[in-house]
Amino acid sequence: MLSPTGRRVFYAYAAAVLLFLLGGLVRPGFIQTTNVLTILTVAMFVGLVAAGQSFVILIGGIDLSVPWVLNAAAILLATSSGGENAHAATALALTLGMGALVGVANGIGVAVLGVPAVVMTLAMNGIMEGLTLGLSGGMTCASCAAYAPPWVQGLAHGSLLGVPAPLWLWLAVIGLVSFLLQATVFGRATYAIGTNLRASTLAGLRVRATIIGLYGLSGLTAALAGIMLVGFGGQASLGMGEPYLFQSIAAVVIGGASILGGRGHYLGAVAGAICLVTLVSVLLAMNMAEYGRSIIYGVIILVLLLLYGRETRES
């Protein structure tokens, strides 16, 4: 018998399969191996950001700073490396460090200063937007002739055993996140804090440190997504992170996580990311306009929240 969380994860994967089958009916060749791998590769970008959102949503928080952390990471990698492999390692370390540092700042604001997560992360998103616009001069990186190093581009477009390299990276992230949440003291503390913050504090758990660490991981995964995205596209551009805020939250919710915290699994968010990207592909095959896709997104999230809320009350 599956637990409520297990059922939600199962439903998310079942929905992904159904969407692929629907796509096959709408457009011949939709479920060919090449197209499926392409969809999964695009889903990887959403899935990386959703990993960070999963961390903070599990404690009843949220990270609204991911769009411009991702964008800043893409631009920082391109500009600090100068598009050269010789500086790629330093640029990667600098970029990932920036993402983690911004996340830690969010965590300190939430856990130590007591600023609500929505306010803290939204303010940080504005700060990162301003810094990015200021440092880039308000121009696209194409105007600055800033490109991702060839090594990063090769990673984003390479393959191993016939499977795109980004999917291998995503598989590694899935394994690491799942292990961290399910098999470590840090993971158990995360679920405990999300279930009952006060009880976790009274039990002697390092609540503040855990919250700061979770937001740090959210910033880190957003930066990693920015690195992969600029590698995939070759160049960074302003606003490239905007679509990933709603999509990352939607992926976590579709995957069965409780928006109030304490319940969920990253495997569900993975399925949610695949569902969203597959849904977009199906709608594009049906020639649906962008506003229609946005409406469908919103309706799906609302329906799922209503269904999950009812299931929680009944259990």
Side-chain angles (χ1 to χ4, degrees), residues 299-310:
V299 170
I300 289 175
I301 299 304
L302 179 60
V303 170
L304 286 173
L305 285 174
L306 291 174
L307 291 176
Y308 291 166
R310 179 180 179 183

Side-chain angles (χ1 to χ4, degrees), residues 32-121:
Q32 288 183 350
T33 302
T34 302
N35 191 61
V36 171
L37 290 176
T38 300
I39 290 174
L40 293 178
T41 300
V42 176
M44 180 271 303
F45 299 113
V46 180
L48 290 180
V49 184
Q53 290 289 8
S54 295
F55 284 127
V56 296
I57 286 176
L58 282 173
I59 57 170
I62 198 167
D63 190 350
L64 303 181
S65 68
V66 294
W68 281 95
V69 172
L70 185 157
N71 210 148
I75 291 177
L76 180 60
L77 177 75
T79 54
S80 62
S81 67
E84 299 179 0
N85 283 333
H87 305 297
T90 302
L92 284 170
L94 180 64
T95 302
L96 291 174
M98 179 277 297
L101 185 62
V102 172
V104 166
N106 280 331
I108 291 174
V110 173
V112 179
L113 302 180
V115 182
V118 171
V119 176
M120 183 66 209
T121 58

Side-chain angles (χ1 to χ4, degrees), residues 50-276:
Q53 290 289 8
S54 295
F55 284 127
V56 296
I57 286 176
L58 282 173
I59 57 170
I62 198 167
D63 190 350
L64 303 181
S65 68
V66 294
W68 281 95
V69 172
L70 185 157
N71 210 148
I75 291 177
L76 180 60
L77 177 75
T79 54
S80 62
S81 67
E84 299 179 0
N85 283 333
H87 305 297
T90 302
L92 284 170
L94 180 64
T95 302
L96 291 174
M98 179 277 297
L101 185 62
V102 172
V104 166
N106 280 331
I108 291 174
V110 173
V112 179
L113 302 180
V115 182
V118 171
V119 176
M120 183 66 209
T121 58
L122 185 61
M124 184 60 73
N125 190 58
I127 292 171
M128 293 305 298
E129 179 180 3
L131 288 173
T132 304
L133 290 172
L135 293 175
S136 66
M139 300 181 293
T140 64
C141 277
S143 304
C144 308
Y147 297 84
W151 183 85
V152 177
Q153 295 188 47
L155 175 63
H157 291 279
S159 63
L160 177 64
L161 301 177
V163 177
L167 295 183
W168 288 111
L169 173 64
W170 194 17
L171 186 62
V173 171
I174 292 170
L176 288 172
V177 173
S178 298
F179 176 79
L180 186 62
L181 289 176
Q182 303 299 318
T184 67
V185 174
F186 181 81
R188 289 190 288 272
T190 299
Y191 283 101
I193 293 169
T195 301
N196 193 315
L197 176 62
R198 181 172 176 78
S200 299
T201 303
L202 295 175
L205 296 180
R206 301 178 62 187
V207 172
R208 287 184 174 179
T210 302
I211 293 175
I212 292 171
L214 290 168
Y215 277 95
L217 287 171
S218 181
L220 182 67
T221 56
L224 179 59
I227 290 171
M228 293 303 296
L229 196 60
V230 72
F232 193 77
Q235 293 176 298
S237 59
L238 297 176
M240 64 191 296
E242 294 292 350
Y244 292 94
L245 174 60
F246 184 81
Q247 291 179 7
S248 63
I249 297 172
V252 176
V253 174
I254 290 173
S258 170
I259 202 72
L260 300 177
R263 182 180 295 181
H265 198 293
Y266 180 52
L267 289 177
V270 170
I274 296 172
C275 280
L276 286 174

